Amino acid sequence: MIGLGNMGKSHADQILTGKVPGLELTAVADCDAQRLEKFADLQRYTDGTALIQSGTIDAVLIATPHYDHTTLGIAALEAGLHTLVEKPISVHKADCERLIAAHTNKKLVFAAMFNQRTDPAYLKLRELIQSGELGTIQRINWIITDWYRTESYYRSGGWRATWGGEGGGVLLNQCPHNLDLLQWLFGMPSKINANCQLGRFHNIEVEDAVTAMLEYPSGATGVFITSTGEAPGTNRLEVAADHGKVVIENGSFRYTRTETLVPDHLATEPGAFNKPGVWNVEIPTNGRGEQHVGIMQNFTNAILKDETLLAPAAEGIHSVELANAMLHSSLEKTTVELPLDGALYEATLKKRIENSTYVKPEVAPTEVTDMRSSF
Amino acid sequence: MIGLGNMGKSHADQILTGKVPGLELTAVADCDAQRLEKFADLQRYTDGTALIQSGTIDAVLIATPHYDHTTLGIAALEAGLHTLVEKPISVHKADCERLIAAHTNKKLVFAAMFNQRTDPAYLKLRELIQSGELGTIQRINWIITDWYRTESYYRSGGWRATWGGEGGGVLLNQCPHNLDLLQWLFGMPSKINANCQLGRFHNIEVEDAVTAMLEYPSGATGVFITSTGEAPGTNRLEVAADHGKVVIENGSFRYTRTETLVPDHLATEPGAFNKPGVWNVEIPTNGRGEQHVGIMQNFTNAILKDETLLAPAAEGIHSVELANAMLHSSLEKTTVELPLDGALYEATLKKRIENSTYVKPEVAPTEVTDMRSSF
């Protein structure tokens, strides 16, 4: 395990308490020596690269601040280690391409921590889409504004919510999950127009409120809305398709299924205002799935038993590209046509970092926050 | 009553069956003589202007296709008649200004058919906003995609869904209600960025699917989504504010009220992930209100008893400006800063009309559709 901050500490605890059969934690690394004290029985390193080069491990989980995912991920793959990297896999598209290019030895398992792919509701939606049950997707609306964070959160680490430290705000830290699910479920849009508001709710230099309009090659449209400044917030995914509508919210999966395909009804129904009949379907989806433990188990089983990866790291480029495209659209006041020019965005981001005059208010002393509320 | 098409016929029936005490229907006009046959006991005109000039009436309700609202409205006000005009009050902002400018005699009651202002849920939301109960509004999301219309609907009138006949599609015909409520509840935005898809679901030349991002002077954001091609569709208004969240959907009014104001909690809470506590409040709002009959009654009472107008026609310019701005943003691929330049938009619209090559498929013979499903 490299990185024993909020997420790394949480993952380490899960492994040490035997939640992931087949996975053994033998070595940890963190640049903060104090964090290593709690792991006196393990090999300890203050340098992640030293752990990678140690020759004592088969696999590594990288849970450092985002920028290091690229450099440490490349080092791990080059050292012949199976690699599980926290989200986002990199901060910007060009770095994603560098990281993915390092995965030349396909015998190495290379996965990303997209734990929300284990959620039964999203798995079920994906199944309904891929089987053709829903018909063509026409419209997507995801309001994901329950990533509420206090000012105290942003002061818990100097790297947090800075261009240089995270390369963005809510889109790079909290939303990689949702953006990954978005592309996993619906594929990539062809156009993005976004309004990313910088430091609207918090004293930070990056975005903490985003509204984005998407358009897909099919003509389907999407809206993605997020914020860390709203309470109680909403997490509601609505999908309109040719066979009706799905709404996932508050643990429920509601499918309003039209009895005929909408385009057929629209073309042939003689009444001006008549709608197709519907079934109100409630699909049970118990709980939230195995989440982080599920991804670690899948990674382990992929190494030991050739199990298919639920979240291959290479797919992590899409959520980064979506985040980058939203920021680019807003910062440059333009509609972004995908695929995004990775080099162009890297230059935009570097300019932001160079021109940053932001000074963080006092940062709380390094400590590990209880991450059981984080995903 | 001028215009005995879908809406005019429906309004006439309500008045003739005594639903609006104090209001008497004595004269009707329609360019289609056949439609007049059903009103053999009344004065009948094939020309609205002749009815206006007849000297036999005190007030007029104009329920013609939209473009005539301006010309007939001006004629009615100049003839000294109290005037109730169907929505939209005009097709574009410059025409709205011309119409409103004709209202020089303030003794004349001049109202617009914004019947959804009578809905108890929207009245309650307005009360919570205006009293300060909700605190500052931060985000609005209105998905109003249950305006489903079949191809048969669009073939029920040659003027329907053409630039020359309606000046737009769903934004000008169905959404004036929602756009009016939007500005009535939240005021006008300062920026609009929209994607209006022309003939996406139907064989028409105007927009039948719209996604719009709004930004308000306060920094608050909004999203407005509509379509006539979706079934079952959604009508869900979500409002996030400093005191929590309101959702109006399917006849329910849910208010998730935070125990402390969100900005105060965000600034002072020491925990990184803690949210303010909430109350789940369900506010009863019985039924949909008096709708068209309510507006006709209010118009009548304003004339006879000096009752305050619920929907003064002058306020109708705002919904038209919002519709125009969304179309302008999409057609010209630009962010529109409000106020919209009315002359500029009029030129854009005229260009659309002049350049139109659209030929409507066979139009069904003129007949009156049962409008009990329309609002």
Side-chain angles (χ1 to χ4, degrees):
Chain A
M1 180 80 62
I2 306 179
L4 294 167
N6 292 334
M7 294 311 307
K9 172 71 169 53
S10 170
H11 299 331
D13 288 344
Q14 304 273 26
I15 302 169
L16 289 173
T17 53
K19 299 269 170 53
V20 191
L23 189 60
E24 191 184 353
L25 185 62
T26 60
V28 290
D30 197 294
C31 56
D32 180 348
Q34 209 187 330
R35 289 178 175 172
L36 295 171
E37 287 173 10
K38 293 164 191 158
F39 300 91
D41 298 342
L42 309 181
Q43 296 174 57
R44 289 173 289 169
Y45 300 86
T46 51
D47 174 16
T49 311
L51 182 145
I52 287 169
Q53 303 298 343
S54 68
T56 65
I57 55 173
D58 304 309
V60 66
L61 198 168
I62 300 169
T64 59
H66 322 328
Y67 277 102
D68 297 333
H69 296 176
T70 313
T71 46
L72 290 170
I74 292 171
L77 291 166
E78 288 181 349
L81 298 178
H82 301 293
T83 303
L84 175 55
V85 63
E86 260 292 347
K87 53 79 200 170
I89 66 162
S90 295
V91 166
H92 59 82
K93 186 182 176 184
D95 263 2
C96 290
E97 289 169 336
R98 290 173 192 123
L99 174 57
I100 292 168
H103 187 212
T104 51
N105 178 359
K106 299 302 181 189
K107 287 180 187 159
L108 296 180
V109 173
F110 185 28
M113 188 60 88
F114 289 119
N115 44 286
Q116 294 205 13
R117 290 193 186 189
T118 67
D119 188 311
Y122 302 126
L123 283 164
K124 175 57 71 176
L125 178 55
R126 191 161 191 262
E127 180 192 318
L128 294 187
I129 293 168
Q130 301 221 326
S131 71
E133 163 59 38
L134 279 187
T136 305
I137 302 297
Q138 298 293 356
R139 186 176 61 75
I140 302 150
N141 188 272
W142 200 342
I143 306 174
I144 170 71
T145 56
D146 68 348
W147 291 119
Y148 183 68
R149 295 292 183 267
T150 59
E151 284 287 358
S152 147
Y153 165 83
Y154 288 112
R155 294 184 193 181
S156 71
W159 61 287
R160 285 200 187 284
T162 59
W163 294 113
E166 293 202 80
V170 62
L171 290 172
L172 273 294
N173 191 304
Q174 286 77 27
C175 285
H177 293 301
N178 314 102
L179 296 173
D180 175 63
L181 292 172
L182 197 67
Q183 68 81 27
W184 186 59
L185 292 164
F186 309 110
M188 288 292 274
S190 46
K191 279 186 211 168
I192 292 185
N193 212 314
N195 181 12
C196 301
Q197 296 174 305
L198 309 183
R200 175 166 161 215
F201 293 107
H202 304 86
N203 182 8
I204 56 176
E205 67 176 343
V206 294
E207 83 289 354
D208 58 2
V210 174
T211 311
M213 298 197 296
L214 319 175
E215 189 171 321
Y216 290 81
S218 66
T221 56
V223 168
F224 184 84
I225 300 161
T226 192
S227 168
T228 57
E230 194 178 308
T234 296
N235 182 357
R236 181 181 185 276
L237 174 59
E238 170 171 301
V239 183
D242 281 355
H243 233 317
K245 180 172 82 165
V246 167
V247 176
I248 298 175
E249 186 181 16
N250 297 330
S252 85
F253 188 115
R254 285 173 291 137
Y255 177 20
T256 313
R257 186 182 196 272
T258 58
E259 290 181 333
T260 49
L261 284 170
V262 178
D264 295 345
H265 181 274
L266 183 146
T268 59
E269 163 64 35
F273 301 99
N274 294 346
K275 290 186 181 183
V278 294
W279 297 350
N280 291 320
V281 181
E282 180 93 25
I283 301 183
T285 55
N286 287 329
R288 302 204 54 225
E290 293 288 312
Q291 296 291 333
H292 299 111
V293 166
I295 294 293
M296 289 192 283
Q297 189 67 66
N298 173 245
F299 174 65
T300 305
N301 293 352
I303 297 167
L304 299 178
K305 305 174 186 173
D306 252 348
E307 189 172 284
T308 301
L309 275 185
L310 184 59
E315 295 178 12
I317 192 171
H318 301 307
S319 46
V320 173
E321 183 165 8
L322 289 171
N324 293 174
M326 289 177 190
L327 281 165
H328 192 79
S329 168
S330 187
L331 295 172
E332 304 295 316
K333 300 193 189 309
T334 184
T335 298
V336 171
E337 312 251 351
L338 297 184
L340 176 71
D341 180 336
L344 178 71
Y345 181 73
E346 185 173 8
T348 300
L349 178 58
K350 283 202 169 144
K351 200 172 60 185
R352 284 274 150 183
I353 295 169
E354 279 159 21
N355 296 343
S356 171
T357 56
Y358 172 76
V359 179
K360 196 162 248 226
E362 93 276 15
V363 171
T366 308
E367 60 180 29
V368 173
T369 307
D370 181 349
M371 291 301 283
R372 283 172 297 183
S373 305
S374 178
F375 296 95
Chain B
M1 180 80 63
I2 307 179
L4 294 167
N6 292 335
M7 295 310 308
K9 172 70 169 57
S10 170
H11 299 330
D13 289 345
Q14 304 273 26
I15 302 168
L16 289 172
T17 53
K19 300 268 170 55
V20 191
L23 189 61
E24 190 184 352
L25 185 62
T26 59
V28 291
D30 197 293
C31 56
D32 180 350
Q34 209 187 329
R35 289 179 176 171
L36 294 171
E37 287 174 9
K38 293 164 190 154
F39 300 91
D41 298 341
L42 308 181
Q43 296 174 58
R44 290 173 289 170
Y45 300 86
T46 51
D47 173 16
T49 312
L51 181 144
I52 287 169
Q53 302 298 342
S54 68
T56 66
I57 54 173
D58 304 308
V60 66
L61 197 168
I62 301 169
T64 59
H66 321 328
Y67 276 101
D68 297 333
H69 296 177
T70 312
T71 47
L72 290 169
I74 292 171
L77 291 166
E78 288 180 349
L81 299 178
H82 302 292
T83 303
L84 175 55
V85 64
E86 260 292 347
K87 53 79 201 169
I89 67 162
S90 294
V91 166
H92 59 81
K93 186 182 177 185
D95 263 4
C96 290
E97 289 169 336
R98 290 173 191 124
L99 174 56
I100 292 167
H103 187 211
T104 51
N105 178 357
K106 299 301 182 189
K107 286 180 186 161
L108 296 179
V109 173
F110 185 27
M113 188 60 89
F114 290 119
N115 44 285
Q116 293 205 15
R117 290 194 186 189
T118 68
D119 188 310
Y122 302 126
L123 284 163
K124 175 58 71 178
L125 177 56
R126 191 162 191 260
E127 180 192 317
L128 294 187
I129 294 168
Q130 301 221 327
S131 70
E133 163 59 36
L134 279 187
T136 305
I137 302 296
Q138 298 293 356
R139 187 176 60 76
I140 301 151
N141 187 272
W142 200 341
I143 306 175
I144 170 71
T145 56
D146 68 348
W147 291 119
Y148 184 69
R149 295 294 183 265
T150 59
E151 285 286 358
S152 147
Y153 165 83
Y154 287 111
R155 294 184 192 182
S156 72
W159 61 286
R160 285 200 187 282
T162 60
W163 293 114
E166 293 201 81
V170 62
L171 290 173
L172 273 294
N173 191 304
Q174 286 77 26
C175 285
H177 293 301
N178 314 102
L179 295 174
D180 175 63
L181 292 171
L182 197 67
Q183 67 82 27
W184 186 59
L185 292 164
F186 309 110
M188 288 292 274
S190 46
K191 280 187 210 167
I192 292 185
N193 213 315
N195 180 12
C196 301
Q197 297 175 305
L198 309 183
R200 174 165 161 215
F201 294 107
H202 304 87
N203 182 7
I204 57 176
E205 67 175 344
V206 295
E207 83 288 354
D208 58 2
V210 174
T211 311
M213 297 197 298
L214 318 176
E215 189 171 320
Y216 290 81
S218 66
T221 56
V223 168
F224 184 84
I225 300 162
T226 191
S227 168
T228 58
E230 193 178 309
T234 296
N235 183 356
R236 182 181 186 276
L237 174 59
E238 170 171 300
V239 183
D242 281 354
H243 233 317
K245 180 171 83 165
V246 167
V247 176
I248 298 176
E249 186 180 16
N250 297 330
S252 84
F253 189 115
R254 284 172 290 137
Y255 177 19
T256 313
R257 186 182 196 273
T258 58
E259 290 182 332
T260 48
L261 284 169
V262 178
D264 295 345
H265 181 275
L266 184 146
T268 59
E269 163 63 36
F273 301 99
N274 294 346
K275 290 186 181 184
V278 294
W279 298 349
N280 291 320
V281 182
E282 181 92 25
I283 300 183
T285 54
N286 286 328
R288 302 204 51 225
E290 293 288 312
Q291 295 291 333
H292 300 111
V293 166
I295 293 293
M296 289 192 283
Q297 190 67 67
N298 173 245
F299 174 65
T300 305
N301 294 352
I303 297 167
L304 299 178
K305 305 175 187 174
D306 253 349
E307 189 173 284
T308 301
L309 276 184
L310 184 59
E315 295 178 11
I317 192 172
H318 302 306
S319 46
V320 174
E321 183 165 8
L322 289 171
N324 292 174
M326 289 177 190
L327 281 165
H328 192 79
S329 167
S330 187
L331 295 173
E332 304 296 317
K333 299 192 190 311
T334 183
T335 299
V336 171
E337 312 251 351
L338 297 184
L340 177 71
D341 180 336
L344 178 70
Y345 181 73
E346 185 173 9
T348 301
L349 178 58
K350 282 200 170 145
K351 199 171 62 186
R352 284 274 150 183
I353 295 169
E354 280 159 22
N355 296 343
S356 171
T357 56
Y358 172 77
V359 180
K360 197 163 247 222
E362 92 276 17
V363 170
T366 308
E367 60 180 28
V368 173
T369 308
D370 181 347
M371 291 299 282
R372 284 173 296 184
S373 305
S374 178
F375 296 94

